Each structure stands twice: as structure tokens, then as C-alpha cells.
Amino acid sequence: MTSHPPAFPGDSPSRDPFLRDTEARLGSASAAGSLPEWDLRDLYASPDDPRLAADLEAAERSARAFEAAHMGRLASLSGDALDAALREYERVEEVLGRVMSFAQLLFSGDAQDAGNGRFYQTMQERVTVIGSHLLFFTLELNRLDDAFLEGRMAGSRALARWRPWLRDLRVFRPHQLSDEAEKLLHEKEVTGRSAWNRLFDETIAHMRVPVERAGRSEELTVSAALNLLSDPDRSVREAAAAGVSKAFGGNIRLFSLITNTLAKDKEIVDGWRNYPRPGTSRNRANMVEDEVVDALVAAVVESFPRLSHRYYAMKAKWLGLERMKHWDRNAPLPGDLDRTIPWSAAREQVLGAYAAFSPELAEMGRDFFDKPWIDAALRPGKASGAFAHPTVPSAHPYLLLNYHGKSRDVMTLAHELGHGVHQRLAAKQGYLMSGTPLTLAETASVFGEMLTFRAMLDAETDPARRRLMLASKVEDMLNTVVRQIAFYRFETLVHDERRKGEVSSERLAEIWMSVQVESLGPAFDFTPDYGVYWSYIPHFVHTPFYVYAYAFGDCLVNALYGVYQDGQVPDFQRKYLDLLRAGGTLRHQELLAPFGLDASVPAFWKRGLDVISGFIDELERADG
């Protein structure tokens, strides 16, 4: 099960993590109270843990034995024997998944620590070598014809359990290369894309952003500087924006090189695999058709005027500005004190909202707080933004946040906790089938946000405060839907243009500015220095074409939540938990059918977007 990439640091707002006493593990102090830090010992005690070394050695022996026993022989196996092979393959893969989860989380906790970087790279290299002995298995399975597999599954109930995984594996059958080519790509990953990803992460972690405020100059981390773009003081926002532009502008040649190299790398691999366009491989991995993604993108772009353009015109008026600058986009609204919310209060707000919907969901979520499974503390070197890492079914997920105590941070907590409980519910499907396509991975997270928002809104009796809360929710939804589709369009244009030759940093800025003007509308007057802001988005580097999944998930949840509110689906909570438990065993058509929803129908996306438009309608009525 792959990790959930970090959220965008601009849209969500070096200590040894092992050798701490119990009191220290409770976290660091801040204005939001004592913040938790995770304890990774449920995976391994440290990089030198003898158990880690033993696991790697045992996994390598098992992988070599597996290769010797099965390579070239799958067509001769009975259904039950294929089941046994799959179970052994899953067991070894889960050991490797545990090792890499530990290395990734350690690195995310402090990328400034050179030892963490070396350990992460060493583990990638070691796991890649071990994995090369397993690579034949999926390739050989895909060379078996459909009739053979169907016959084996018909004769073996044990093998039939793997039908969803085999179905998804065979989606990539037309794009599979020779065994030698696949092995070469597999082994070169550590000196290819993975190496460029590490360079990006370490560069961001070591960067310091110069911010001039209150007559003094500060050197802030990227996360801290981006957080200031939500400061109530416009001069602070402007200073932070100038600092971010200066810091990333000073590194723009490096970020442009990383982007061009990875885009060309993708073009080469896509060409060999005969993918028709840059986003197709991602859509295949998400188990969603290109046409469904096209329909989503077209629906959102068509709705830019009635969503973002309309809302930001109101916001400019509220801020007393004829036109806003880019550093005003996340500005708090007049009268919004956005009091600091202690971590303890955030916990109760989120768990209370979950419990009102489903006590079972809340109980699963409570474990994350009662046990050291969350890292919310603020510290240098820590990954920006937020994510939920599922690790492996034999362990449990971990959540990373950077908690500043704002309302948006509470929503981020609700979001990541949704991922966490989803991953726990799906874990019973096992390592190979618990992973959820990215388009569906956002379902529980966005639903958790909606539950928390509705609970907080219903509890608020002050009309002015309710208006501010509604406006804040609209901004979050615009960030999730409009902004991510704009990011998707940026990626598409960049990858298309890269096929004609290297794209200059100046041209990257032009493309970025064009999609920002298109998506955010005439309420903004963009300054040229905003042209470098594409360079801090980690998804472009780590997971190309991931970003539309946020919009997919938000629109899906809007439609799903509408069904819940209408009360037209009996036993909704049970069906919803069953959806989460399914993990990767069902496609989106099957998962949505019990709720009477179909993502292949254009009206589905309009229904989701109408929820956002309705919130803006309500704001306009209150404004009038």
C-alpha cells in the first residue's frame, strides 16, 4: 500500500525520534499546547535495530527462494498452488513495505539529518535489490491468458479471493515490457526518479526564507513562511510572499532542472509502455478511465466563473481591495479572529464529529491520539504540510501534521484522521489488496472534513461567525477542487510542452501564471514574482498527475454527503464503513452503486460542484 503524499504546504497550512522517555514523547509545547510526536518503534526501534537487519536478510533469502521455485513455472501450478505463491509473495512484500515505511517516516520527520537521508537511500537500494528477485512474478502472471486464470480460479476458492488484485494487475498488461527491460527500470529507480525526489525534498528542507517584518529580518522554514500567507496583517503576508519568491527564485534553475528531467524521464517510459498521454498511467493506477477524468476537469473548468471567480470578487470587496494580490488569497476575513485552538480542543472537535456519525469510526480514530501515532509538532527539517502513511496491515498508519492551532489545521486533522481510519478499516484485505486508488483514497478524508465542518457550523449560533466559517469552508473547497484542477492543467501543459524540448524557467512561469489567471479570475492582479510558486508543489515531483484526485474526492464526497443528508439510503453508516473496508477490492462504480451514484455520468460532477456553488449563494445572500 503506497503512502499518501504530503498535502500542499501552501494550502494547509533535528531530534532522535527513538531514544525518548515517555514524557518527551508527549510532544513539544506551542501556542496550541503540547503537540504529539510519533514513536516509530512499532515498526523498528532505530536504523540499527537488529530486527530490521534480520528482516532484510530473511526477506532476501525468501525472495531468492521464491524466484528459484516459481520463475518460469506459474503456468504449471494448480489454483491452490498459485494461491500459496501469492500468499508468500504478499508476505515478503509486506516485510519490504515495513522497512520502507520506517525509512520514509524517519526521513519525513527530519530531512535535515544527513544520517536519515543516507539511511533512506540505503534502504531504497537494498529493497530494490531484494525486489528484483520478485519482479518476475507479476510479469509472468500477466503473460498467462485470461482463460487459464479463470479456470484456475474456478477450481480454487482460495485463488478466487485474489480476483480483485489480479484484475487490477492486468490493467497494465498492454503496457508491460520484456522481463529484462522491466528489471532494468526497477533497478535504475534508485538512481533515477527516486534520487531526484530526494534532491527536491532535501533542498526544500534546508531552504530558509528571508522575511522582513516588524523592523527585523527572520530566516524561516518554507512551512513557516507559507503559513504567514494566512496572517491577518497584509504587510506580513506581502513580506512572506516576497521572501518565498526570493528563496524559490534563487533555486529556480535547480527546480526547473528537476522538473524537466522527471518530465522527460516520464515521457521516455510512457513511450516504451505505449501510454497515449502523460496522465494515462496515473489514471490506470487509479483504476479510473481517462474519459472520467476528462469529464471532471471539463466540469470544474466550466465552473470557474460561478465558483472561484464569484467568490474571490466577494472576498476582494470584504478586504476593501479593488483587486487582490496573490498573497491575499488565503487572507483571513475581516472580523475573523481565528483564535488559537489548542490541540486538546481540536482532538475533541474532530472525534466528537466522527462519533455523531459513527461511534465505531470515532473509536478507531481515538487510537491515533491515545497512542503515539501522530506527529503534529513544529520543528526544522520536518516535512511540510500533512499526510497519512498507511505503513503495513501488520502495524498501523502514522499521521504527520504541522499544527499551528488555526481552524484550517483542525480541518487538516479531520482530513488526515479520515485517511488513517480508512487505512485501518481496509487493512483486513491484506497488504496487496488494502491499497485504495488515489481517486477513492480521498473519500474518507474529505468526508471526515465535512463531518467536522458541519458539526462546528451547527454548534455556532452567532450569524457573523457562521458566515466566517462558511467562507472558510468555501475557500478550502476551492483549494481542493479549483486549485487542484488548475495544478493538473499546469502539469498537463508542462508535460505536453516538454515533448518538444526542455522548458525554460521563464516558460514554466508563463504556464503557471496562465492557469492561475484562468482559475482564480479577474479579482487578482498577479505580480511577476508569483511565477516561481509552482516550484514548491511536491506532488509534481513525487506523484505526477496526482492532484486531480483531490477534486475527484471532494466532488464525490459532496455527492455522497448529499445522499446522507437526504436520508434516502437506509443504513447509510454501515454501507459507508463497508465502502472503506473494501480497500482496493472494488472499483468506483461498485462502491458508489449502493448509494445510487455513478461517477461516469456528467450530472454526478455537477452535483458535487453545485454544493460549493450553493455555499457561495448563501454567502451572497448574507452579504446582500
Side-chain angles (χ1 to χ4, degrees):
M1 197 171 182
T2 55
S3 64
H4 174 65
F8 300 129
D11 288 339
S12 67
S14 149
R15 287 168 288 174
D16 182 350
F18 309 102
L19 306 178
R20 300 186 185 132
D21 59 28
T22 303
E23 184 175 85
R25 286 203 312 274
L26 293 176
S28 61
S30 75
S34 181
L35 298 177
E37 296 184 30
W38 57 31
D39 185 334
L40 302 181
R41 285 182 290 188
D42 286 348
L43 296 173
Y44 295 104
S46 75
D48 300 321
D49 188 341
R51 189 161 56 97
L52 188 152
D55 280 354
L56 285 170
E57 290 170 8
E60 182 160 10
R61 286 194 303 271
S62 296
R64 289 179 181 276
F66 185 83
E67 182 180 42
H70 297 298
M71 188 173 182
R73 299 182 176 90
L74 297 188
S76 66
L77 297 181
S78 67
D80 287 347
L82 270 175
D83 166 65
L86 274 162
R87 284 188 281 112
E88 173 65 3
Y89 174 77
E90 180 179 57
R91 185 190 69 79
V92 179
E93 285 283 5
E94 181 162 356
V95 173
L96 301 181
R98 176 183 286 266
V99 170
M100 285 313 304
S101 296
F102 176 71
Q104 289 166 1
L105 291 170
L106 181 64
F107 183 69
S108 297
D110 187 358
Q112 285 185 342
D113 186 322
N116 289 347
R118 287 193 300 272
F119 175 69
Y120 186 25
Q121 180 69 18
T122 300
M123 290 302 98
Q124 283 185 311
E125 294 174 4
R126 182 76 187 278
V127 166
T128 297
V129 169
I130 297 172
S132 67
H133 298 291
L134 302 172
L135 184 62
F136 80 92
F137 186 63
T138 54
L139 301 177
E140 194 169 326
L141 277 174
N142 263 352
R143 285 199 297 270
L144 301 175
D145 62 40
D146 293 338
F148 173 87
L149 278 177
E150 284 298 329
R152 290 296 191 267
M153 285 189 283
S156 171
R157 181 178 297 180
L159 181 63
R161 185 181 77 83
W162 298 97
R163 183 182 294 276
W165 185 79
L166 291 167
R167 172 204 65 195
D168 291 350
L169 176 67
R170 292 171 85 76
V171 165
F172 299 96
R173 193 179 183 191
H175 309 289
Q176 185 169 300
L177 305 178
S178 68
D179 287 10
E180 293 79 7
E182 293 287 357
K183 187 172 183 179
L184 176 63
L185 290 174
H186 175 78
E187 292 185 357
K188 280 186 64 64
E189 175 72 12
V190 294
T191 57
R193 173 169 292 277
S194 293
W196 290 100
N197 287 351
R198 178 185 171 189
L199 175 62
F200 175 86
D201 289 343
E202 291 191 355
T203 301
I204 296 280
H206 283 85
M207 282 175 61
R208 290 297 175 267
V209 177
V211 177
E212 301 280 344
R213 57 174 174 164
R216 58 191 176 88
S217 179
E218 297 178 271
E219 296 285 326
L220 303 179
T221 64
V222 171
S223 177
L226 291 170
N227 187 60
L228 289 180
L229 296 179
S230 300
D231 195 273
D233 188 332
R234 194 179 191 220
S235 66
V236 171
R237 297 197 304 272
E238 183 176 3
V244 171
S245 297
K246 183 177 180 179
F248 281 88
N251 287 279
I252 202 63
R253 290 182 61 189
L254 173 60
F255 290 123
S256 298
L257 175 61
I258 292 171
T259 298
N260 273 282
T261 301
L262 290 176
K264 185 63 179 178
D265 178 81
K266 190 176 193 313
E267 178 194 347
I268 293 169
V269 175
D270 283 354
W272 276 81
R273 295 193 183 282
N274 292 316
Y275 284 119
R277 62 194 206 190
T280 299
S281 60
R282 175 63 53 206
N283 298 341
R284 295 287 186 277
N286 286 345
M287 302 303 157
V288 64
E289 301 77 14
D290 288 354
E291 295 73 22
V292 171
V293 178
D294 291 343
L296 164 65
V297 173
V300 175
V301 171
E302 183 183 357
S303 294
F304 283 167
R306 72 182 180 116
L307 299 180
S308 48
H309 295 191
R310 187 160 60 117
Y311 174 77
Y312 287 121
M314 278 195 297
K315 182 166 186 175
K317 183 177 68 173
W318 294 336
L319 294 175
L321 301 171
E322 281 193 30
R323 299 183 75 188
M324 294 190 290
K325 303 293 186 183
H326 70 84
W327 56 81
D328 297 316
R329 183 174 60 86
N330 283 330
L333 298 177
D336 186 1
L337 300 177
D338 200 12
R339 301 175 297 274
T340 297
I341 301 170
W343 175 257
S344 57
R347 163 189 166 132
E348 294 312 311
Q349 285 177 338
V350 173
L351 289 178
Y354 275 48
F357 172 75
S358 164
E360 180 182 354
L361 205 64
E363 279 306 305
M364 296 199 78
R366 192 174 301 278
D367 282 343
F368 287 84
F369 297 94
D370 293 345
K371 300 170 183 176
W373 297 357
I374 302 177
D375 192 329
L378 309 173
R379 59 178 182 271
K382 183 180 175 182
S384 300
F387 65 77
H389 194 309
T391 73
V392 291
S394 56
H396 55 79
Y398 283 94
L399 310 185
L400 180 144
L401 301 90
N402 286 275
Y403 190 80
H404 297 274
K406 304 303 180 185
S407 296
R408 182 166 290 162
D409 295 317
V410 179
M411 292 297 107
T412 300
L413 174 60
H415 181 104
E416 300 305 337
L417 189 66
H419 280 305
V421 296
H422 188 182
Q423 290 155 1
R424 292 192 72 196
L425 285 165
K428 70 171 187 176
Q429 302 294 347
Y431 185 72
L432 294 183
M433 292 191 289
S434 58
T436 307
L438 296 179
T439 43
L440 296 170
E442 294 301 326
T443 303
S445 55
V446 178
F447 199 88
E449 275 192 78
M450 184 66 84
L451 289 173
T452 304
F453 168 72
R454 291 287 188 176
M456 294 172 71
L457 187 68
D458 291 345
E460 183 57 63
T461 57
D462 181 359
R465 185 65 188 166
R466 285 176 58 87
R467 172 178 165 274
L468 290 170
M469 291 175 66
L470 191 61
S472 178
K473 181 60 177 175
V474 167
E475 293 204 10
D476 286 342
M477 296 174 90
L478 294 179
N479 279 336
T480 303
V481 177
V482 169
R483 191 156 169 79
Q484 307 323 315
I485 293 302
F487 287 169
Y488 178 80
R489 285 171 65 77
F490 171 78
E491 279 191 284
T492 301
L493 292 168
V494 168
H495 281 257
D496 285 346
E497 192 152 327
R498 182 64 181 91
R499 296 188 173 198
K500 305 170 189 175
E502 185 164 304
V503 187
S504 69
S505 56
E506 292 80 10
R507 179 59 183 149
L508 288 166
E510 290 174 1
I511 297 171
W512 173 257
M513 295 291 265
S514 71
V515 298
Q516 297 304 308
V517 169
E518 174 191 49
S519 62
L520 298 180
F524 286 90
D525 178 17
F526 293 105
T527 54
D529 65 314
Y530 189 51
V532 303
Y533 270 60
W534 60 268
S535 59
Y536 79 74
I537 309 298
H539 291 60
F540 297 161
V541 173
H542 292 298
T543 323
F545 298 97
Y546 173 88
V547 289
Y548 77 79
Y550 284 109
F552 192 112
D554 200 78
C555 290
L556 185 154
V557 167
N558 286 344
L560 193 62
Y561 195 87
V563 170
Y564 168 58
Q565 279 195 309
D566 293 343
Q568 297 174 351
V569 175
D571 207 8
F572 182 96
Q573 284 87 338
R574 180 188 60 78
K575 292 176 180 177
Y576 175 74
L577 292 180
D578 286 344
L579 180 154
L580 301 186
R581 288 190 181 98
T585 62
L586 300 177
R587 298 279 181 86
H588 62 84
Q589 299 97 327
E590 301 165 297
L591 290 169
L592 293 176
F595 306 96
L597 299 172
D598 183 356
S600 66
V601 178
F604 174 85
W605 301 115
K606 183 178 183 299
R607 179 173 184 168
L609 295 170
D610 283 349
V611 172
I612 309 175
S613 183
F615 284 163
I616 298 174
D617 290 343
E618 188 174 339
L619 285 170
E620 283 185 332
R621 289 193 295 270
D623 197 42

